[in-house]
Amino acid sequence: ELYYPAGPPYLATGKDMYDIAFHWVKFLPRIHELFPQFMAEMHGYSVSAAHLKLPHHLNLGFMVSNIGGKEGFDFLDNVSRADACKPSIPEEALPLVLHYCQRYALGRWFFSKYKLREDIFDCEAPLLREPPLNVGEMIDWNIFPNGIETKDYNDPSKHHLIVEDGWMLCAVVYAINEVAISLKTKYCDSNANFEKTEHFHNEENFTNFLKDPSNP
């Protein structure tokens, strides 16, 4: 647990990486039989490294992804809930990688790359609806579009999770819109859709939420 659950980017000597790759390919089909989910290839790497007794130094501050985890969210330590969406942070203090593989939500503001429409960058596709800049101050709960999974951040000891969730949510949504706007401005004609209307929840539930953000 301390040395082997690594993910890319990997750094190793050429010989060590060759040995890891050799056993990685050898072990992976069997691992995939036991664990056919998305990350079977990552488990295969870890098993190969452990088999060869090649412990890794894990850099936990290299990226952010999973809120509440052992990752590099310390740049948000002094950020208030009110500033969670777009805090004023020097670029050199930001993590090197934002790995948006999780689900991020405050209230019914939500993002998951697995739910994102595949044509999001097409000319006719709408942009994502953006959370308000004070979303972290307004909301201390969330509910996922499945209507089942929820989180309650009301306890003051969990307020750092509001800041982390709010920052990830805004960073991803605003960045995707920024890229989409740039692409559409350059490559689309008068049919370009710049309406920020796309979201992930049932329309009625989302509309009611906007009217009363305190009500799940």
Side-chain angles (χ1 to χ4, degrees):
E1 182 178 348
L2 296 177
Y3 303 109
Y4 297 107
Y10 306 109
L11 292 176
T13 65
K15 180 183 184 306
D16 285 347
M17 187 56 77
Y18 176 86
D19 291 341
I20 290 172
F22 179 86
H23 288 86
W24 189 1
V25 174
K26 180 180 176 181
F27 295 150
L28 187 54
R30 177 59 177 153
I31 291 173
H32 188 264
E33 290 178 9
L34 299 173
F35 192 84
Q37 286 82 1
F38 290 128
M39 295 190 293
E41 80 287 351
M42 293 180 66
H43 292 301
Y45 180 94
S46 298
V47 170
S48 176
H51 173 76
L52 294 167
K53 296 182 173 58
L54 292 173
H56 286 47
H57 173 77
L58 306 183
N59 187 337
L60 300 179
F62 187 81
M63 71 166 190
V64 289
S65 174
N66 188 23
I67 70 163
K70 300 176 181 178
E71 297 175 354
F73 281 106
D74 53 348
F75 70 100
L76 295 174
D77 284 351
N78 297 317
V79 173
S80 68
R81 288 178 53 183
D83 295 327
C85 184
K86 284 199 169 185
S88 179
I89 296 174
E91 185 175 348
E92 61 271 17
L94 293 171
L96 296 175
V97 176
L98 191 161
H99 182 203
Y100 55 99
C101 67
Q102 310 293 334
R103 295 172 294 178
Y104 310 107
L106 283 177
R108 289 187 182 273
W109 296 106
F110 175 85
F111 179 85
S112 168
K113 70 177 184 180
Y114 304 110
K115 300 290 185 181
L116 187 65
R117 55 189 296 165
E118 294 182 358
D119 65 347
I120 189 66
F121 295 127
D122 285 4
C123 295
E124 300 83 1
L127 301 172
L128 294 174
R129 188 151 185 169
E130 295 170 347
L133 295 180
N134 64 341
V135 63
E137 185 177 36
M138 294 171 56
I139 301 168
D140 59 8
W141 56 274
N142 68 31
I143 185 169
F144 290 168
N146 59 25
I148 299 172
E149 296 173 85
T150 65
K151 294 179 183 176
D152 181 1
Y153 293 147
N154 185 53
D155 189 321
S157 67
K158 297 180 180 179
H159 284 188
H160 69 287
L161 299 177
I162 296 176
V163 176
E164 292 178 13
D165 228 341
W167 187 84
M168 291 293 291
L169 175 68
C170 289
V172 174
V173 169
Y174 279 82
I176 288 175
N177 275 353
E178 183 180 349
V179 172
I181 290 170
S182 177
L183 289 171
K184 291 181 181 188
T185 301
K186 185 172 183 179
Y187 296 109
C188 300
D189 51 30
S190 59
N191 68 336
N193 187 350
F194 293 100
E195 295 292 324
K196 296 178 180 179
T197 57
E198 181 72 11
H199 60 85
F200 298 86
H201 275 270
N202 168 277
E203 190 65 41
E204 181 180 358
N205 289 339
F206 191 75
T207 299
N208 290 336
F209 159 71
L210 292 179
K211 293 177 182 177
D212 182 8
S214 66
N215 186 359

